[in-house]
Amino acid sequence: MGANCCTESHAPDNYNTYNSNGNSKREKHKISVIGTQPGSDPQEIYRFFMVGMGSAGKSTVIKQLQKLCHDRPNMYKMYDEEWNPISHEFAGHEKERYRRIIRRNVFDALAILEYYVQSWSLRPSSSSDADVIADMAGNLTASESKLERHIMNALIRLIKDPAIMAALCRRSEMIGTRQIADGTIHFLNEAKMVEIFSDSYAPSEDDIVHSRSPTTGIQDYRFSVRGMRIQIHDIGGQKVERGKLLSYITNWVSADRSGYRNFILYVVSMAEYNIPHPEHNGITLLDESLMMMQNILELQPIQNCGFMIFFNKDDVYREKLRQCAQMPALRDDTIRWLGQYMKENDKALLRKGAEVSHDSMQKVIAKKFTDAIKNVQTKRYKGIYRKFTCAVDTKMMSALFDAIEGELVNYMIDTASWMM
Ligand SMILES: Nc1nc2c(ncn2[C@@H]2O[C@H](COP(=O)(O)OP(=O)(O)OP(=O)(O)O)[C@@H](O)[C@H]2O)c(=O)[nH]1
Ligand SMILES: [Mg+2]
């Protein structure tokens, strides 16, 4: 185990961070070490540049890999930048950090729910618990690490408030910055909140997978999955982060060497198919993600890299489509945004409030992206590989990672047949 591995943070967002101009000082060092490690095969390394809009689920993929190192240590292992095995376990200070993040996620979600309770007039009279939250909201940063007992109790009482529950049921109508992070739903029930706000709370791996903290910069992670070495660079996708993308991608491509198999891993949140863009009329956040993907595909330096798309948040997408049966406005939105890619039969079913096969609706999203890919001018030398994913679902992600080696080897051999 590397000398510094016990002191280094292994949590997503805190590991092997690139310096501000996008160069990894460690990268050069690492290249010389891998080739000369005693007893090591001159093994291939599958290298992923993971990118997408903010909140698409990129860091959740990393957290799942870390969780799998915990659940199945014989098959999944984590490494430092010199490919020395390291502990995947979250150290005490990281658990403490996630404890704060999760409490903060819950607080933010309740503040958002309370906002909708007010603006949708869901509560007949005012609530003193809601007043406590409103008073806190401005000062939370300073005191987030030690929420006072009466505030915690007010939060727990609020989650039982029928008005808050009614707002939660209308989550698909929430837009802009006032949206609840998809993973936070996992925490929004009384039993879980009692646990989260107890003094002895230590987040489980599953809780960490559901937590939300935006990534800044570019983070470098290394794992082996059934002996196959993979290196993933996780790029922050918030608007403020996206300005650095070109320099990161150029540096990443130029660090290529023999034995690397390079892939762009583009993560898309299908849940955003109906969320209007906060700044541009007439498009959704999914459209913005699609445009970002097109811009990346136009970049000359990546034409020799494989390109994989994870269509993520399949569970949220499925749930929204299911809700179409009871929510005519959501039905209309779905037809407005996706109708041109849907079969006429399916549109008729949806209009009647009947269920449309999920398989067909997944193909609708894939078709939207395939059409956009056809408009890309820059010639590609590799095909495009796609998967529908639910990054918070450990079983699904483990099945995906278990199969990925064979799939990637086939991809490298016969890229043409992998075109979407
Ligand atoms: N329900 C559900 N939640 C998901 C899924 N994938 C990710 N999430 C949640 O979505 C939130 C955002 O996920 P992140 O992994 O932080 O998103 P990101 O792409 O890394 O975002 P940035 O770091 O801002 O670029 C977290 O609360 C996750 O738990 C999914 O497939 N289903
Ligand atoms: Mg992230």
Side-chain angles (χ1 to χ4, degrees):
M1 189 176 283
N4 63 356
C5 69
C6 299
T7 52
E8 185 116 46
S9 167
H10 304 146
D13 308 338
N14 264 328
Y15 182 56
N16 294 357
T17 310
Y18 272 49
N19 60 21
S20 56
N21 65 11
N23 294 319
S24 168
K25 288 185 193 153
R26 293 161 178 177
E27 189 78 9
K28 277 195 194 129
H29 179 51
K30 181 210 69 184
I31 289 169
S32 59
V33 171
I34 290 174
T36 57
Q37 247 183 16
S40 74
D41 285 35
Q43 258 187 65
E44 291 173 331
I45 295 173
Y46 285 81
R47 199 167 162 256
F48 296 90
F49 186 88
M50 183 164 62
V51 64
M53 301 283 289
S55 209
K58 300 177 292 299
S59 303
T60 309
V61 172
I62 302 288
K63 290 174 190 166
Q64 278 298 2
L65 278 163
Q66 246 176 298
K67 180 167 186 294
L68 285 163
C69 291
H70 176 87
D71 296 352
R72 298 167 65 192
N74 293 336
M75 302 213 183
Y76 291 79
K77 293 186 177 23
M78 193 167 180
Y79 296 85
D80 69 7
E81 67 273 25
E82 293 173 7
W83 290 97
N84 299 307
I86 53 174
S87 165
H88 56 273
E89 300 288 351
F90 293 98
H93 68 279
E94 288 159 354
K95 289 232 166 177
E96 173 55 34
R97 189 172 84 91
Y98 277 111
R99 184 161 83 136
R100 281 204 306 275
I101 289 171
I102 290 167
R103 287 179 171 179
R104 172 77 202 220
N105 290 161
V106 169
F107 186 95
D108 288 348
L110 281 165
I112 290 170
L113 287 167
E114 184 54 34
Y115 166 84
Y116 285 105
V117 165
Q118 300 297 327
S119 55
W120 293 336
S121 307
L122 297 175
R123 188 187 287 117
S125 57
S126 83
S127 149
S128 53
D129 290 332
D131 294 341
V132 171
I133 307 301
D135 289 346
M136 262 313 279
N139 309 320
L140 187 65
T141 315
S143 45
E144 65 184 307
S145 59
K146 46 179 175 64
L147 279 182
E148 289 163 31
R149 177 60 45 201
H150 77 282
I151 295 164
M152 297 183 190
N153 290 341
L155 290 170
I156 291 167
R157 278 194 302 272
L158 263 185
I159 198 63
K160 295 188 277 183
D161 180 339
I164 291 281
M165 291 314 289
L168 188 56
C169 290
R170 291 173 60 179
R171 197 164 73 88
S172 59
E173 296 170 52
M174 298 176 186
I175 51 170
T177 50
R178 289 202 173 90
Q179 287 183 69
I180 299 174
D182 290 302
T184 307
I185 305 300
H186 169 79
F187 304 111
L188 295 181
N189 61 71
E190 187 187 350
K192 194 72 200 171
M193 281 180 51
V194 168
E195 182 192 341
I196 290 169
F197 289 113
S198 69
D199 292 339
S200 58
Y201 175 55
S204 65
E205 263 76 12
D206 201 38
D207 289 351
I208 291 172
V209 162
H210 286 87
S211 68
R212 165 68 179 146
S213 58
T215 304
T216 50
I218 173 168
Q219 319 286 334
D220 171 3
Y221 300 92
R222 287 150 210 239
F223 296 94
S224 65
V225 177
R226 295 170 171 261
M228 167 188 167
R229 294 207 276 186
I230 63 175
Q231 178 181 8
I232 309 183
H233 289 89
D234 176 13
I235 322 297
Q238 301 276 299
K239 191 174 175 192
V240 53
E241 298 295 324
R242 296 201 292 266
K244 308 172 205 160
L245 188 61
L246 188 59
S247 98
Y248 287 156
I249 221 164
T250 312
N251 280 299
W252 181 81
V253 170
S254 63
D256 187 24
R257 72 154 176 86
S258 132
Y260 280 173
R261 302 280 174 257
N262 298 313
F263 291 82
I264 306 295
L265 172 52
Y266 193 77
V267 183
V268 176
S269 164
M270 293 196 286
E272 296 185 333
Y273 80 91
N274 68 330
I275 300 182
H277 195 285
E279 288 154 32
H280 302 290
N281 274 340
I283 65 165
T284 61
L285 290 178
L286 185 72
D287 292 318
E288 189 182 29
S289 171
L290 185 145
M291 289 184 248
M292 179 176 170
M293 180 198 72
Q294 282 178 309
N295 288 340
I296 293 173
L297 281 168
E298 293 288 8
L299 296 175
Q300 200 61 51
I302 65 126
Q303 300 317 310
N304 282 315
C305 300
F307 200 94
M308 301 175 67
I309 304 179
F310 280 3
F311 289 113
N312 191 37
K313 303 202 177 175
D314 197 33
D315 57 328
V316 184
Y317 183 55
R318 185 189 290 270
E319 179 59 19
K320 280 194 177 176
L321 295 170
R322 199 189 57 74
Q323 287 181 338
C324 283
Q326 300 88 41
M327 300 175 75
L330 184 58
R331 220 145 63 205
D332 293 347
D333 261 11
T334 304
I335 291 175
R336 173 175 178 210
W337 298 116
L338 299 180
Q340 77 177 102
Y341 306 99
M342 290 174 70
K343 293 187 202 144
E344 288 307 318
N345 272 357
D346 288 344
K347 267 197 269 189
L349 281 173
L350 196 67
R351 279 202 189 93
K352 282 194 288 189
E355 198 179 325
V356 180
S357 107
H358 190 60
D359 189 48
S360 286
M361 291 309 290
Q362 286 180 327
K363 288 190 179 128
V364 164
I365 301 277
K367 175 146 179 36
K368 188 173 161 86
F369 276 69
T370 308
D371 284 2
I373 289 164
K374 285 185 191 145
N375 290 330
V376 171
Q377 302 296 314
T378 312
K379 184 165 169 38
R380 282 197 59 71
Y381 300 103
K382 299 255 185 264
I384 292 177
Y385 166 104
R386 67 155 202 244
K387 283 279 172 209
F388 295 96
T389 58
C390 171
V392 286
D393 181 342
T394 305
K395 247 190 180 163
M396 178 201 239
M397 294 310 283
S398 113
L400 188 149
F401 293 128
D402 282 356
I404 210 159
E405 180 176 14
E407 298 206 7
L408 289 182
V409 169
N410 286 341
Y411 177 98
M412 300 310 295
I413 295 168
D414 179 14
T415 57
S417 62
W418 291 87
M419 291 298 283
M420 283 174 62

